[in-house]
Amino acid sequence: MRAYHLVSHDISPQLTDLPDPAPGPGQIGVTIRACGLNFADLLMMRGTYQDTPALPFTLGMEVAGVVDALGAGVTGFAVGDRVAVFGGQGGLAERGVFDAARAVIMPDVMGFDHAAAFQIAYGTSHLALDHRARLQPGETLLVLGAAGGVGLTAVEIGKLMGARVVACARGPEKLDIARRAGADHLIDATGDDIREAVLALGGADVVYDAVGGDQFTAAFRSCKPEARILSIGFASGDVPQIKANHLLVKNLTVMGLYWGGYLGFAPKLLTGSLATLFDWYAHGRIRPHVSHVLPLDRAAEGLALLRDRKSTGKVVIRLPG
């Protein structure tokens, strides 16, 4: 099978022929039809992601496909089932084996491209806003990086939860995508003063930050008393340094969220969240925005789109079949 394989953090991944894998106990074999790209894939290439696998490995954290084999002891799945899988690795390949516990049956109405673009982005935003920040109807939600893979889902979910959503993104094209996802107010990160714009709207109750850097600082200074700041990622490459005494002035709370971590310590929270999200999808309440669909031999181009901030929503690699 062909796979986009990484053998060294100093060498770019390459499309390689690898042996066809067989599932072990508790695993399923999947013919992969689509793989969603994530900013974390770029970090894994450099070895700086918190869950970077041991070398060598195949990139691609989330996939959708068809079960083609069952390992010993697997129940709840059958050959031919359409599944979405958060494998953490192994997705940029024609076939993969994954722990059955990481797979869910796709809704009948969902296509492979949407399923591959769904779990991490929507799962992150739903757990962050619902479970961690306890976002309430009528509150003001500021979303940084609002046209990105996770940011756009935060706009969509925040609006569904009844918040007033303020979307911050780079340029009118990306802001228009955030507006169409439900944003009530728009801030252009390329020219607007984020702090002043948010304060003019009365300040933020919840900040959803997948960017970091100067945008985090501006958002921090625009918060209302008792605001909650969600640290999701650092697309700017600049990890904010927070002075703890500054939290005291407005009684602020800063909380981190790594969606995949819930598999290890609270998997029922994650699966319950996904059940809610799949139901919303089935009823037409949410729809992934996929800006680019590329074949496996253009995976490097897809990752470059993320790195250079030229994509909106998700980039999906589509496999034959």
Side-chain angles (χ1 to χ4, degrees), residues 37-53 57 59-61 86 88 120 258 303 306 314:
L37 299 186
N38 292 275
F39 192 79
D41 291 309
L42 298 173
L43 301 180
M44 285 186 185
M45 288 166 58
R46 301 197 297 265
T48 58
Y49 190 58
Q50 62 262 27
D51 264 356
T52 299
F57 67 93
L59 290 165
M61 299 178 69
F86 171 68
I120 293 176
Y258 166 46
L303 290 165
L306 295 186
K314 294 286 284 191

Side-chain angles (χ1 to χ4, degrees), residues 160-224:
L160 279 174
M161 294 177 67
R164 179 176 68 153
V165 180
V166 182
C168 180
R170 300 176 65 85
E173 182 180 348
K174 291 186 175 183
L175 286 171
D176 186 60
I177 290 169
R179 178 190 59 77
R180 285 187 271 126
D184 299 289
H185 301 279
L186 306 174
I187 299 173
D188 190 337
T190 62
D192 293 339
D193 185 317
I194 296 173
R195 174 177 176 269
E196 291 300 324
V198 177
L199 288 175
L201 295 170
D205 295 292
V206 175
V207 175
Y208 184 101
D209 176 27
V211 178
D214 292 340
Q215 291 191 36
F216 173 92
T217 302
F220 187 96
R221 297 175 64 203
S222 73
C223 285
K224 294 180 183 179

